[in-house]
Amino acid sequence: MSSYQHIRYAGQAYEFIRYEVVDRIARVTLNRPDQVNVQSTAMLEELDHAIDTAGADHDVRVICLFGAGRHFSAGHDLGSSEERAHRERFPIEDGARGLFERNWRLHMDMHLRWRNVPKPLICAVQGYCIFGGWMVASTADVIFAADDALFLGSAFQYFSIPYDIHPRMAKELLFQGRFINARQARELGFVNRVVQRDQLEAQTLAYAADVALNDPFDLRTTKMAINQAQDAQGFTAHIHNAFSTFMVRRIGSSDPGHVKPWPTEGKRLPMVEVALERYQQELAREQSLESGLEQTPGRIQSQPNDPQGTPE
């Protein structure tokens, strides 16, 4: 089993995720709702352990990934008390070497492993799905989105976006750095289905239960065939190459001349702040145009301010 030396969770309760198997479906839930499920190092390591466990369990035929609370995940943990304590206990090497190793281990190695887990992986997304949240969701074979979901991508470590949506649309979104809602994500081909928020879990599990009726070896080889078709087009090689480009960008983000330099520890990334402001402005314009009219059921609702935490 591919877990790291300091992970001792086998047979124990996880701290930052929930894991249960019901009716041949492994339900894995990101469980830091008070901090909008920002992804600490420990959470990612637990998630990796859980997906690996489900992949090796003969009683599991389908894996479903959820986020507890109002939001799926607001990105990586940039400095919560838990994250700081973990980094102090397990420090990385200073400089580019440590930065490379940490990002490769958490965001390249793990994410490719989740993408290739030998069982269907279905992700249910609600609320914020920002940067690291997008990366985790993009490893899934099928994505269901609630009608309040908001996605924000970037040229991040696990950069599957040019394979998930058309390259020109990817450029349009990433050049501007803007949110897309669930309906737009479906139109772009990133999301399979958009459902009402209160039906997200039920409909995701209903689909998973239907898939779980099929032969597990058939499911495994079908997934392999589709993933291998992408790999024949260069998917995995692209992911590796894009990671190198990310590292150059990440190191360059600390340059004095960078327009929006990397934040001090525990602060939100500047590009996320800009994207949130842009979304709020767009929402205000729409509400102004529709003044006096009720919002349609499919329209994205305004999101509350982030609770205390350190999102991407």
Side-chain angles (χ1 to χ4, degrees):
M1 182 170 289
S2 55
S3 55
Y4 296 99
Q5 183 177 1
H6 56 280
I7 297 296
R8 301 284 188 269
Y9 297 118
Q12 303 178 27
Y14 294 110
E15 184 176 358
F16 300 111
I17 68 168
R18 299 198 305 263
Y19 181 85
E20 61 178 338
V21 177
V22 180
D23 296 331
R24 295 177 294 190
I25 300 170
R27 305 180 187 182
V28 185
T29 305
L30 308 181
N31 194 31
R32 298 181 79 193
D34 293 339
Q35 294 176 297
V36 286
N37 290 321
V38 290
Q39 300 165 19
S40 63
T41 302
M43 174 190 271
L44 289 171
E45 289 170 339
E46 290 184 3
L47 179 59
D48 184 55
H49 188 279
I51 292 176
D52 194 29
T53 297
D57 187 344
H58 292 296
D59 292 329
V60 171
R61 292 191 181 178
V62 181
I63 306 168
C64 288
L65 180 58
F66 300 97
R70 298 195 60 178
H71 304 284
F72 176 71
S73 175
H76 295 140
D77 188 336
L78 301 182
S80 69
S81 58
E82 294 94 342
E83 178 65 11
R84 291 196 302 271
H86 190 280
R87 295 193 187 193
E88 289 175 3
R89 185 180 178 190
F90 305 104
I92 63 173
E93 185 177 357
D94 291 336
R97 291 168 178 80
L99 186 65
F100 183 96
E101 174 60 25
R102 171 182 166 77
N103 279 278
W104 181 275
R105 182 169 69 86
L106 294 178
H107 308 305
M108 171 64 63
D109 187 35
M110 285 186 183
H111 285 62
L112 278 174
R113 186 157 57 244
W114 304 340
R115 181 241 184 186
N116 292 314
V117 67
K119 294 171 184 177
L121 176 59
I122 304 166
C123 186
V125 176
Q126 80 282 4
Y128 290 143
C129 186
I130 297 174
F131 284 17
W134 182 310
M135 285 202 299
V136 170
S138 70
T139 68
D141 304 300
V142 176
I143 302 175
F144 281 27
D147 53 10
D148 68 345
L150 287 172
F151 299 86
L152 182 63
S154 175
F156 28 51
Q157 297 96 320
Y158 181 81
F159 187 50
S160 64
I161 291 179
Y163 281 79
D164 294 329
I165 63 179
H166 192 283
R168 282 200 177 88
M169 296 308 300
K171 290 175 183 178
E172 178 188 341
L173 292 175
L174 300 186
F175 286 169
Q176 190 177 21
R178 77 168 191 267
F179 280 97
I180 56 173
N181 61 33
R183 175 185 54 79
Q184 293 166 332
R186 187 179 186 281
E187 291 173 352
L188 290 169
F190 182 60
V191 162
N192 295 84
R193 301 185 189 181
V194 178
V195 302
Q196 292 183 359
R197 173 66 184 86
D198 60 359
Q199 291 295 310
L200 178 63
E201 181 176 348
Q203 292 203 28
T204 301
L205 291 173
Y207 173 78
D210 196 32
V211 172
L213 295 175
N214 294 315
D215 179 76
F217 186 70
D218 219 25
L219 292 171
R220 179 177 185 176
T221 52
T222 297
K223 175 170 178 171
M224 286 177 62
I226 296 172
N227 281 6
Q228 288 169 354
Q230 284 189 308
D231 287 338
Q233 299 168 1
F235 178 88
T236 299
H238 155 75
I239 292 292
H240 288 159
N241 292 335
F243 177 81
S244 299
T245 305
F246 166 82
M247 287 303 303
V248 172
R249 291 177 54 246
R250 173 63 181 87
I251 294 170
S253 68
S254 300
D255 289 350
H258 197 284
V259 174
K260 295 186 180 299
W262 198 261
T264 58
E265 185 175 348
K267 301 297 183 180
R268 181 188 289 143
L269 293 180
M271 58 281 283
V272 176
E273 191 71 47
V274 170
L276 285 169
E277 292 174 358
R278 180 181 294 112
Y279 169 72
Q280 291 165 357
Q281 292 168 0
E282 292 174 353
L283 188 64
R285 284 196 295 270
E286 289 182 8
Q287 291 174 340
S288 177
L289 292 173
E290 298 175 1
S291 179
L293 298 177
E294 293 184 357
Q295 291 185 333
T296 58
R299 186 169 302 283
I300 299 296
Q301 301 298 313
S302 177
Q303 300 289 344
N305 293 329
D306 289 334
Q308 290 185 356
T310 53
E312 193 87 61

